[in-house]
Amino acid sequence: MSETIFSNGVRAERPLDLSIATPFFRNDPSQLLDILSCQMTGEAVELIVIDDGSQDPSVTTKIESTLQNLSVPASLIKLHANQGRSAARNRLITGAKAPVILFLDSDMAPDSPNFVAEWLKLARDPTTEIAYGGFSTLQVPDCAALALAKMVAEKSDCSSATERQSRGALAVATSNLLVRKAILDDTPFDAGFSGWGWEDVDWALRAESKGHAVLHVDIPATHLGLDDAATLLDKFAKAGPNFRRIVERHSSMAALPGTKLAQTLTRMPAKTWIKSILKAIVLSEALPLAIRALGARLWRALWAADALS
């Protein structure tokens, strides 16, 4: 894996408790880094950022400047070619120096000024193995372009810790996930998942199957990188092969409503025609959001059904 590494040269004054690991590809994580920089001062934390082949010198220069001004150890790993979401996270694992890693996506924004402190408390608890902090839309601006993705996220992803705990590993995402490094060394992410979707749930299910406890907590961060309707539909369409991979690997996936719906739709005729109608519905900002959101869910299920067929 061809790469270049930049380090700010700061040495930790005491053993590190936490590595905050952030992957990105063709976006600018500077807003997140600025937020974290205010919360990491004086803490036993390091920050590792990986650019998964963006090849944007202006962003590289901006990030290196930001990291250089931090008072905690920080580094940027720049991959010379895109390796994919799983491979990038696996590289972050090998680069982390603390015994606990917090994966935090580059388009997330912590919802609390005590975000890092709360994660540090859990990281220092030796009983913590895996903890997912949650996902919110609290800081997402109200605008027509993001309204659909915001509603879809709120219905499917924005749940309390209590609600998520009942679903265990099935409710885990790497957008805001704390894991003991020893677990990650033993159970890395599967690079066989390509593109978008499901590699995080697959990892969590494999880790859970090895007896590692999954804890859900309320330490949320807002997903600021919500997609417009067209991009969202494109991601849903391309996630079909990954969905099939995880369904074939994990029997617990069969209990999910989305899996049941996709399996039912495998027998539906004229799916191509139905998809074209659904796409028109979802992209029409003149229609009520609830109808568009339902159309997006059915669109996703139809592509998943194709993958299962």
Side-chain angles (χ1 to χ4, degrees):
M1 188 181 295
S2 183
E3 63 183 36
T4 303
I5 300 177
F6 168 84
S7 171
N8 68 353
V10 174
R11 291 181 176 272
E13 296 181 359
R14 59 185 188 275
L16 294 169
D17 293 320
L18 181 65
S19 296
I20 300 179
T22 296
F24 74 95
F25 176 62
R26 293 182 179 171
N27 70 310
D28 184 352
S30 295
Q31 182 175 350
L32 172 62
L33 301 185
D34 289 341
I35 295 171
L36 292 175
S37 68
C38 298
Q39 298 193 18
M40 293 188 300
T41 304
E43 298 289 2
V45 180
E46 71 164 344
L47 179 61
I48 312 175
V49 185
I50 189 166
D51 178 354
D52 190 16
S54 299
Q55 299 183 351
D56 187 336
S58 64
V59 173
T60 298
T61 300
K62 187 176 181 181
I63 293 172
E64 289 179 353
S65 177
T66 298
L67 299 185
Q68 191 65 57
N69 292 322
L70 292 180
S71 60
V72 298
S75 59
L76 167 65
I77 303 170
K78 186 173 68 172
L79 302 183
H80 296 171
N82 180 253
Q83 301 295 319
R85 295 157 65 93
S86 292
R89 291 195 180 97
N90 287 339
R91 179 62 185 89
L92 285 168
I93 295 167
T94 63
K97 297 180 178 65
V100 182
I101 300 175
L102 173 64
F103 290 106
L104 190 60
D105 279 358
S106 60
D107 54 6
M108 302 293 279
D111 287 340
S112 165
N114 299 317
F115 181 83
V116 172
E118 291 179 39
W119 276 125
L120 267 169
K121 183 178 179 180
L122 275 175
R124 289 166 176 157
D125 182 345
T127 65
T128 304
E129 292 190 306
I130 303 167
Y132 176 54
F135 177 114
S136 86
T137 60
L138 185 65
Q139 301 175 66
V140 175
D142 289 324
C143 63
L146 302 179
L148 175 66
K150 185 177 180 181
M151 174 173 279
V152 170
E154 288 171 349
K155 286 185 175 296
S156 61
D157 300 317
C158 300
S159 303
S160 69
T162 300
E163 293 170 319
R164 285 184 271 113
Q165 194 66 61
S166 65
R167 295 163 54 204
L170 290 170
V172 165
T174 45
S175 55
N176 183 20
L177 178 68
L178 186 89
V179 189
R180 216 154 267 289
K181 188 174 185 295
I183 296 174
L184 292 161
D185 290 336
D186 179 63
T187 309
F189 292 91
D190 180 3
F193 284 85
S194 62
W196 182 83
W198 296 108
E199 80 287 343
D200 43 8
V201 178
D202 168 75
W203 174 85
L205 287 168
R206 286 187 289 117
E208 188 179 57
S209 72
K210 294 182 178 182
H212 299 300
V214 176
L215 174 67
H216 288 273
V217 295
D218 286 316
I219 311 177
T222 294
H223 183 200
L224 293 176
L226 294 180
D227 299 305
D228 60 36
T231 303
L232 186 67
L233 290 184
D234 184 59
K235 283 186 173 181
F236 284 170
K238 291 178 178 177
N242 282 358
F243 178 72
R244 176 171 181 167
R245 185 179 182 88
I246 192 173
V247 168
E248 290 178 342
R249 175 177 284 178
H250 302 285
S251 59
S252 57
M253 287 291 295
L256 292 181
T259 305
K260 292 178 180 179
L261 178 59
Q263 289 171 335
T264 299
L265 293 178
T266 58
R267 300 183 293 273
M268 176 175 284
K271 286 199 289 289
T272 300
W273 178 78
I274 295 171
K275 285 177 189 173
S276 66
I277 299 298
L278 288 174
K279 186 173 185 177
I281 290 172
V282 173
L283 296 180
S284 175
E285 294 185 1
L287 293 174
L289 270 178
I291 292 176
R292 296 174 65 202
L294 176 59
R297 179 171 177 255
L298 291 173
W299 165 274
R300 183 177 192 172
L302 284 169
W303 283 98
D306 283 348
L308 295 179
S309 299

